[in-house]
């Protein structure tokens, strides 16, 4: 019913909001119109108005859930992907950056300011829902600009002092965000109270939002000295507390990792805290492109190497510690690895469900890395139901899940130097148990630090450094291609990572080269140097790609990379972590101060 209400009443709510913006119009109360004078009278009115807030939770608010990690070190990135490359290239300036927009926060504040007039048993629940939404929207602005003005109500044209105020400090705004989330936690109904329907915003979601936001803010304060905020620990502790409450609410990991992402329904899934419900019968569908959720950015060799290797003794060890790992064939690279690798990466011999049974062959002209199969969706095409791309997919999409909560808890504990083996067993090892991975040992993590991770995250300074590093690996693997990686690199102050657009498949340095992508012992594609070589392979029925022509080059060590990848970008610390304020906004409000990193 909520889905139907959203679509039925969005036009009415828009009209109401427009009426609310005009003070003089409120003097009239037409009997045939929904106006401020006759609305916001019951909790049903609040429910109707707040249905529009769900879109903010679905549209990648405060990191996750997207279906790609591009641009980041999880992807092979074209220079056309992502705002970060616009920042690094210098094409974004205070003079041409877009003006900031407060319409979404005003929409929420409009309800909060009037909700006190309503009666009903769920009024406080819906006020909590609105304040939770405001917190989420505001933290997105903090992540973009850092210091921003805090507005606790919708502004009128007469509010000159508020309309022309300067920014409030990040510290004040984040404290206000936490206060909003805490109100939501105290006043919203649990998912169980709402009939166990995890498409509804609930207290459970509020706890997940708090855990996610507080972990992010703790990391920003710990790893970004330019903020001059030295109270990261209190945010780690708040994040841990939110996780602990969720861990006592009956959630558990589902048995099917792949089913979280490739499904027809998430109803009853014990891991899902909030999901977006799609319905073929109601024509509520979503789109998935033919390049497996990565656009023109395949998954990177760097991500591929992050998945652990299971040795002959049954121990999980870094893949990068295996002799010859860097030049293994595609088929060899998948052997004896963390099973989540084959749940995420297109592997040799993979067959698309409902296909003709033929192994899928990757193409290279737009995807240089490994293709992803993590979000391979169910689709409806006329009378045909199957798996594959298109704009008619109807599988449900998880937005907050318990697996992320376990990772947040473990990371916060390790950053504080408080992680125990018991903590590890009830978080990371549960994630590993699900997929059949050997369990992790805290003493091993602390005593045998992986040099590759140590070099990658060289600024980690916890007393449990080895644990922090391995939890970052686990987070990267578990949440790959779920939209978290960019925000993770930002909060850990890893901006320089974006300068490297990434390596893709290994092909070697001697061209032409034939690649067996289906593990049947026969070449499926070839990488060549000339048109004549391509023509020769095409004549034999083998697809061939030309270096330098088909959008890629081969590195000196034999990997595919984007043809535009060489030394084009410099990440400017700390400016490129933030977006400048538009000169137009400062002209409208001279009391605004330009972001100090962009002055």
């Amino acid at each position: 019913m909520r889905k139907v209400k959203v679509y039925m009443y969005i036009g009415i709510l828009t009209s109401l909001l427009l009426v609310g913006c005009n003070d003089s119009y409120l003097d009239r109360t037409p009997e045939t119109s929904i106006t401020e004078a006759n609305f916001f009278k019951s909790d049903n009115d609040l429910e109707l108005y707040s249905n529009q807030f769900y879109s903010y939770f679905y549209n990648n608010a405060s990191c996750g859930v997207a279906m790609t990690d591009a641009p980041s070190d999880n992807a092979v990135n074209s220079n056309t992907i992502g705002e970060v490359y616009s920042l690094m290239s210098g094409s974004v300036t205070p003079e041409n950056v877009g003006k900031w927009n407060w319409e979404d926060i005003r929409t929420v504040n409009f309800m909060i300011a009037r909700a006190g007039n309503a009666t009903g048993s769920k009024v406080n629940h819906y006020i909590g829902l609105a304040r939770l939404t405001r917190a989420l929207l505001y933290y997105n602005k903090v992540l973009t600009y850092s210091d921003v003005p805090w507005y606790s109500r919708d502004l009128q044209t007469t509010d000159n002092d508020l309309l022309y105020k300067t920014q409030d400090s990040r510290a004040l705004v984040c404290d206000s965000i936490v206060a909003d989330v805490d109100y939501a936690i105290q006043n919203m109904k649990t998912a169980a109270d709402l009939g166990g329907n995890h498409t509804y915003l609930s207290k459970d979601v509020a706890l997940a939002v708090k855990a996610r936001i507080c972990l992010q803010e703790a990391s920003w304060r710990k790893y970004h000295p330019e903020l001059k905020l030295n109270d990261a620990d209190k945010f780690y502790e708040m994040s841990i507390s939110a996780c602990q409450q969720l861990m006592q609410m009956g959630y558990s990991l589902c048995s099917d990792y792949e089913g979280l992402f490739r499904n027809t329904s998430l109803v009853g899934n014990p891991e899902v805290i909030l999901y977006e419900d799609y319905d073929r019968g109601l024509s509520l569908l979503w789109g998935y492109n033919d390049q497996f959720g990565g656009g023109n950015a395949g998954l990177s060799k760097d991500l591929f190497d992050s998945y652990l290797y299971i040795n002959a003794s049954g121990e999980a060890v870094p893949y990068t510690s295996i002799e010859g790992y860097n030049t293994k064939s595609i088929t060899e690279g998948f052997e004896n690895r963390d099973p989540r690798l084959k749940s995420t990466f297109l592997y040799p011999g993979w067959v698309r469900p409902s296909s003709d049974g033929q192994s899928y062959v990757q193409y290279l002209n737009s995807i240089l890395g490994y293709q992803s199969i993590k979000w391979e969706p169910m689709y409806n095409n006329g009378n045909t139901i199957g798996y594959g791309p298109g704009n008619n997919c109807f599988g449900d999409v998880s937005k907050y899940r318990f697996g992320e909560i376990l990772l947040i808890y473990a990371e916060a504990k390790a950053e504080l130097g408080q992680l125990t083996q018991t903590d590890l067993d009830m978080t990371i090892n549960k994630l590993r148990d699900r997929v059949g991975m050997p369990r992790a040992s805290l003493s091993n993590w602390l005593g045998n630090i992986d040099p590759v991770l140590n070099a990658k995250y060289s600024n980690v300074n916890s007393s449990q450094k080895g644990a922090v590093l391995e939890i970052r690996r686990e987070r990267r693997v578990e949440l790959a291609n779920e939209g978290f990686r960019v925000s993770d690199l930002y909060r850990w102050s890893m901006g320089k990572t974006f300068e490297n657009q990434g390596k893709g498949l290994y092909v070697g340095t001697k061209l032409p080269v034939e690649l067996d992508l289906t593990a049947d012992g026969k070449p499926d594609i070839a990488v060549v140097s000339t048109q004549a070589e391509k023509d020769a392979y095409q004549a034999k029925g083998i697809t061939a790609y030309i270096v330098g022509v088909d959008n890629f080059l081969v590195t000196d060590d034999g990997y595919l990379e984007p043809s535009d990848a060489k030394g084009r970008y410099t990440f400017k610390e700390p400016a490129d972590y933030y977006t400048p304020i538009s000169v137009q906004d400062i002209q409208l409000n001279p009391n605004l101060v330009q972001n100090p990193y962009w002055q």
Side-chain angles (χ1 to χ4, degrees):
M1 279 302 295
R2 182 182 61 74
K3 289 187 291 186
V4 176
K5 288 179 181 178
V6 170
Y7 287 93
M8 287 177 60
Y9 295 108
I10 190 68
I12 295 175
L13 294 174
T14 302
S15 299
L16 174 62
L17 198 58
L18 291 173
V19 169
C21 295
N22 188 329
D23 295 336
S24 63
Y25 196 88
L26 295 180
D27 294 336
R28 300 185 293 167
T29 311
E31 294 181 359
T32 58
S33 301
I34 293 181
T35 69
E36 189 175 353
N38 62 20
F39 200 70
F40 297 117
K41 297 300 184 184
S42 69
D43 51 11
N44 286 333
D45 292 343
L46 300 184
E47 179 186 13
L48 175 61
Y49 187 93
S50 64
N51 275 331
Q52 64 187 305
F53 299 164
Y54 280 80
S55 64
Y56 302 138
F57 288 81
Y58 293 162
N59 295 332
N60 200 22
S62 290
C63 88
V65 164
M67 295 178 181
T68 175
D69 287 331
S72 75
D73 57 349
N74 281 4
V76 184
N77 305 298
S78 162
N79 67 335
T80 61
I81 297 176
E83 183 181 356
V84 65
Y85 286 114
S86 297
L87 290 167
M88 287 194 292
S89 69
S91 62
V92 172
T93 69
E95 288 71 29
N96 66 19
V97 71
K99 295 170 63 178
W100 59 16
N101 189 310
W102 295 84
E103 184 177 340
D104 49 5
I105 288 177
R106 188 186 191 280
T107 299
V108 178
N109 278 341
F110 189 87
M111 172 179 153
I112 293 173
R114 294 156 180 80
N117 298 324
T119 59
S121 61
K122 295 174 71 175
V123 168
N124 287 343
H125 168 81
Y126 288 111
I127 295 175
L129 188 158
R131 291 186 65 174
L132 176 65
T133 305
R134 180 171 67 186
L136 198 71
L137 293 171
Y138 246 112
Y139 196 62
N140 284 337
K141 293 199 182 299
V142 168
L143 292 176
T144 303
Y145 301 104
S146 200
D147 294 347
V148 292
W150 173 264
Y151 296 116
S152 60
R153 63 177 175 83
D154 59 304
L155 301 185
Q156 306 301 318
T157 55
T158 55
D159 290 323
N160 289 332
D161 289 346
L162 294 176
L163 285 167
Y164 294 100
K165 68 181 288 187
T166 189
Q167 295 99 314
D168 290 300
S169 69
R170 183 180 183 124
L172 183 150
V173 173
C174 285
D175 285 347
S176 301
I177 289 170
V178 170
D180 269 354
V181 179
D182 282 345
Y183 180 93
I185 292 170
Q186 292 162 12
N187 290 279
M188 291 184 74
K189 304 290 186 181
T190 66
D193 294 333
L194 298 171
N197 190 331
H198 290 273
T199 67
Y200 289 120
L201 294 173
S202 62
K203 174 178 179 175
D204 311 36
V205 177
L207 286 165
V209 168
K210 184 174 183 180
R212 185 185 288 182
I213 285 179
C214 286
L215 180 74
Q216 286 194 80
E217 188 59 19
S219 303
W220 276 91
R221 297 189 184 204
K222 181 171 184 175
Y223 291 106
H224 286 265
E226 73 273 6
L227 295 178
K228 299 178 181 178
L229 295 171
N230 300 314
D231 55 351
D233 286 4
K234 77 173 184 180
F235 283 89
Y236 282 126
E237 289 163 357
M238 286 190 287
S239 183
I240 290 168
S241 176
C243 290
Q244 287 172 329
Q245 292 179 69
L246 275 169
M247 292 161 78
Q248 296 169 1
M249 294 178 72
Y251 288 96
S252 62
L253 298 179
C254 68
S255 59
D256 182 11
Y257 177 72
E258 293 184 8
L260 285 166
F261 316 104
R262 299 197 290 276
N263 64 80
T264 55
S265 174
L266 288 174
V267 173
N269 190 299
E271 184 169 348
V272 176
I273 300 169
L274 177 71
Y275 70 93
E276 192 169 3
D277 184 14
Y278 290 90
D279 193 305
R280 182 166 56 94
L282 294 175
S283 296
L284 299 178
L285 306 168
W286 56 278
Y288 189 77
N289 68 38
D290 193 40
Q291 297 175 357
F292 294 75
N296 55 349
L299 301 179
S300 68
K301 170 68 171 169
D302 195 70
L303 174 61
F304 185 87
D305 290 349
S306 294
Y307 290 73
L308 293 170
Y309 180 87
I310 303 173
N311 66 20
S313 300
E315 301 168 318
V317 299
Y319 180 60
T320 50
S321 68
I322 303 304
E323 184 177 357
Y325 81 93
N326 227 16
T327 57
K328 285 182 179 292
S329 70
I330 295 173
T331 299
E332 291 171 336
F334 282 92
E335 295 172 354
N336 303 317
R337 303 292 298 280
D338 184 326
R340 286 170 291 188
L341 183 66
K342 282 191 173 182
S343 297
T344 306
F345 284 67
L346 173 66
Y347 56 88
W350 179 77
V351 176
R352 173 177 279 164
S354 72
S355 72
D356 58 5
Q358 296 297 311
S359 296
Y360 188 88
V361 178
Q362 173 173 344
Y363 47 92
L364 298 185
N365 57 329
S366 59
I367 297 183
L368 309 182
Y370 300 82
Q371 289 188 213
S372 171
I373 58 172
K374 188 167 188 175
W375 291 98
E376 173 78 358
M378 289 289 287
Y379 72 91
N380 176 48
N381 184 13
N383 295 320
T384 302
I385 298 175
Y387 283 83
N391 293 317
N392 45 16
C393 305
F394 59 87
D396 293 343
V397 178
S398 172
K399 297 297 179 179
Y400 290 85
R401 64 181 179 94
F402 190 57
E404 180 198 352
I405 299 304
L406 299 183
L407 290 163
I408 290 172
Y409 180 87
E411 181 180 339
K413 280 277 196 171
E415 288 283 8
L416 291 173
Q418 299 175 359
L419 187 74
T420 66
Q421 184 63 47
T422 299
D423 293 328
L424 200 54
D425 289 341
M426 66 183 190
T427 56
I428 303 302
N429 282 333
K430 284 187 178 295
L431 295 169
R432 290 193 176 190
D433 288 345
R434 165 167 52 193
V435 296
M437 273 291 288
R439 305 195 109 207
S441 160
L442 180 60
S443 60
N444 181 57
W445 278 4
L446 298 180
N448 297 285
I449 293 177
D450 178 10
V452 174
L453 288 181
N454 194 36
K456 185 176 185 69
Y457 305 109
S458 59
N459 61 346
V460 172
N461 58 14
S462 167
S463 61
Q464 293 185 315
K465 183 174 185 175
V468 171
L469 295 174
E470 290 295 342
I471 290 167
R472 290 188 183 187
R473 182 206 303 277
E474 200 76 23
R475 180 179 175 89
R476 187 181 189 185
V477 165
E478 175 73 20
L479 302 180
N481 249 22
E482 293 183 46
F484 291 93
R485 188 61 178 175
V486 174
S487 62
D488 284 346
L489 293 174
Y490 268 49
R491 67 187 175 94
W492 296 329
S493 195
M494 293 285 296
K496 289 294 183 181
T497 302
F498 292 97
E499 294 180 356
N500 181 353
Q501 289 176 256
K503 297 177 181 180
L505 300 179
Y506 177 75
V507 298
T509 57
K510 295 181 180 181
L511 302 182
V513 61
E514 300 173 352
L515 299 179
D516 175 10
L517 301 181
T518 57
D520 63 358
K522 302 175 184 178
D524 298 298
I525 64 173
V527 177
V528 303
S529 302
T530 67
Q531 184 64 47
E533 290 173 336
K534 179 174 182 176
D535 292 342
Y537 274 105
Q538 301 282 68
K540 294 188 290 184
I542 298 175
T543 302
Y545 301 90
I546 306 175
V547 174
V549 174
D550 287 315
N551 199 37
F552 66 85
L553 300 174
V554 177
T555 65
D556 292 340
D557 53 353
Y559 289 88
L560 301 184
E561 70 173 4
S563 56
D564 61 359
K566 294 291 186 183
R568 295 188 55 170
Y569 302 100
T570 300
F571 192 94
K572 300 175 290 296
E573 300 263 10
D576 287 345
Y577 289 115
Y578 310 95
T579 298
I581 298 172
S582 170
V583 167
Q584 298 176 69
D585 284 315
I586 295 176
Q587 288 172 342
L588 288 172
N589 177 9
N591 291 316
L592 292 176
V593 178
Q594 182 55 266
N595 188 312
Y597 319 114
W598 281 88
Q599 289 176 351

